[in-house]
Amino acid sequence: MHRHSVWRMLGICLICGLSGREAGGQAPTPDLVLPTIADPAFAAGEGPVVLMDEGHFNAHIAEGSDRPFMEFLRRDGYRVSRLATLDRDSLDAAQVLVIPMPLAERNRIRGNADTFFDPQLTDFDLPNPSAFSREEIATIVDWVAEGGALLLMADHMPVAGAVSDLAAAFGLHVRNGHAGEPSGGWGGMFRRSEGLLHEHPIARGRSESERVDSIKTMGGSAFSAAADVEPLMVLPEFIVSREPTRFRRFTADTPTVPVGGWFQGVAQRRGRGRVVFLAEAGMFFGHLSSYTVCRDEEVCQVDPAANQNPQFLLNTMHWLSGLLDTR
């Protein structure tokens, strides 16, 4: 597996050892190596409440990659807590719900980041059922329509399958595969200059200093839209979705579906609320810290091509929070 694979880069996004798990407190964590936020959107601890889903066997929990993500949002002033049980009472206390890399119980990670390829502990093969019940999906859709904001982040198989039902409720059809070139490669770059990163308030930011001209992903999946969406990231014409029945077991007979022109990221207005769906999560979880510990325990510099990913995350949160494009 190559060094920039999502499953290798998402592991421990720190250069300092971190023990234990925080309980959702707001105090800054000084040992995280994170990008500087020149102009925080909110005073410390006074921003919107953000709930981070951890009740659906989310892959980021096993990887330990939620700490940098949550801390980065806190440094922008957001009040971030984990959400164990997804219900309407909990959602009504928040402005933004973040759902990162959920999994169905069948495909849950039994262990930590080092167990991803141990067939005795991890089973990502088909089937990849929904991570959400019909009741949970209805709750999320109603909450968004009434003014809530959802950031849903998927990835390739099996996470793509796990989010399919929830995404479909917003008119999005997710391929449960791996987006890339037919040979399996692809740099994952979305540039304005090539028309792959679309003009949108999220790309523009609040000022010229927050403008994003390129972002880098680490694989992920592809999806189409049957509902009105505002494109963010459009896949190049040469991209296909490779869809094996067994995780990462690609053969000459593995089905492939052309997905050039499909999406890897969109924004959507739903009633009074807003949604951003990204079919790749490593762009935020694997590219936030200044360094990442690889699976082989080498310390790897995060790809410089991803240097605008953190600003893209902030802009995404600002749009979901209503700071951008308030029409």
Side-chain angles (χ1 to χ4, degrees), residues 136-203:
E136 287 177 319
I137 292 172
T139 296
I140 294 170
V141 170
D142 290 345
W143 176 74
V144 169
E146 294 172 20
L150 170 66
L151 173 55
L152 176 60
M153 291 180 284
D155 216 294
H156 51 58
M157 170 195 186
V159 182
V163 304
S164 291
D165 286 358
L166 177 56
F170 291 98
L172 309 175
H173 173 60
V174 185
R175 301 297 313 191
N176 187 29
H178 299 248
E181 296 182 50
S183 63
W186 181 45
M189 289 302 302
F190 293 82
R191 297 184 177 90
R192 280 176 179 263
S193 60
E194 297 172 355
L196 302 181
L197 178 61
H198 273 225
E199 180 67 23
H200 188 273
I202 290 175

Side-chain angles (χ1 to χ4, degrees), residues 45-214:
E46 296 184 9
V49 172
V50 176
L51 294 180
M52 185 97 156
D53 176 51
E54 66 170 9
H56 296 92
F57 305 100
N58 308 71
H60 72 86
I61 295 175
E63 294 153 0
S65 54
D66 56 341
R67 293 279 306 269
F69 183 93
M70 295 173 72
E71 174 65 15
F72 191 58
L73 296 188
R74 287 181 180 135
R75 293 184 185 186
D76 202 37
Y78 288 95
R79 293 173 285 166
V80 188
S81 298
R82 294 187 175 91
L83 176 66
T85 302
L86 199 159
D87 55 36
R88 186 57 190 258
D89 287 342
S90 298
L91 294 183
D92 283 343
Q95 285 72 53
V96 183
L97 171 64
V98 177
I99 303 179
M101 298 175 63
L103 290 167
E105 183 173 6
R106 183 203 175 280
N107 303 125
R108 72 188 185 277
I109 299 169
R110 302 168 181 87
N112 55 40
D114 293 330
T115 68
F116 283 138
F117 298 100
D118 186 338
Q120 302 301 315
L121 296 174
T122 302
D123 183 1
F124 290 161
D125 297 347
L126 293 180
N128 302 144
S130 174
F132 304 92
S133 69
R134 286 179 293 179
E135 292 75 17
E136 287 177 319
I137 292 172
T139 296
I140 294 170
V141 170
D142 290 345
W143 176 74
V144 169
E146 294 172 20
L150 170 66
L151 173 55
L152 176 60
M153 291 180 284
D155 216 294
H156 51 58
M157 170 195 186
V159 182
V163 304
S164 291
D165 286 358
L166 177 56
F170 291 98
L172 309 175
H173 173 60
V174 185
R175 301 297 313 191
N176 187 29
H178 299 248
E181 296 182 50
S183 63
W186 181 45
M189 289 302 302
F190 293 82
R191 297 184 177 90
R192 280 176 179 263
S193 60
E194 297 172 355
L196 302 181
L197 178 61
H198 273 225
E199 180 67 23
H200 188 273
I202 290 175
R204 290 195 298 270
R206 296 174 296 170
S207 64
E208 185 64 26
S209 65
E210 295 183 352
R211 174 186 169 99
V212 175
D213 291 304
S214 67

Side-chain angles (χ1 to χ4, degrees), residues 206-252:
R206 296 174 296 170
S207 64
E208 185 64 26
S209 65
E210 295 183 352
R211 174 186 169 99
V212 175
D213 291 304
S214 67
I215 54 177
K216 182 175 177 61
T217 65
M218 299 162 66
S221 56
F223 65 95
S224 60
D228 288 338
V229 296
E230 301 171 19
L232 298 173
M233 301 150 61
V234 179
L235 290 164
E237 290 300 323
F238 55 82
I239 296 298
V240 300
S241 176
R242 297 187 299 158
E243 301 177 359
T245 59
R246 301 189 65 188
F247 181 64
R248 299 194 68 84
R249 300 290 182 88
F250 302 107
T251 69

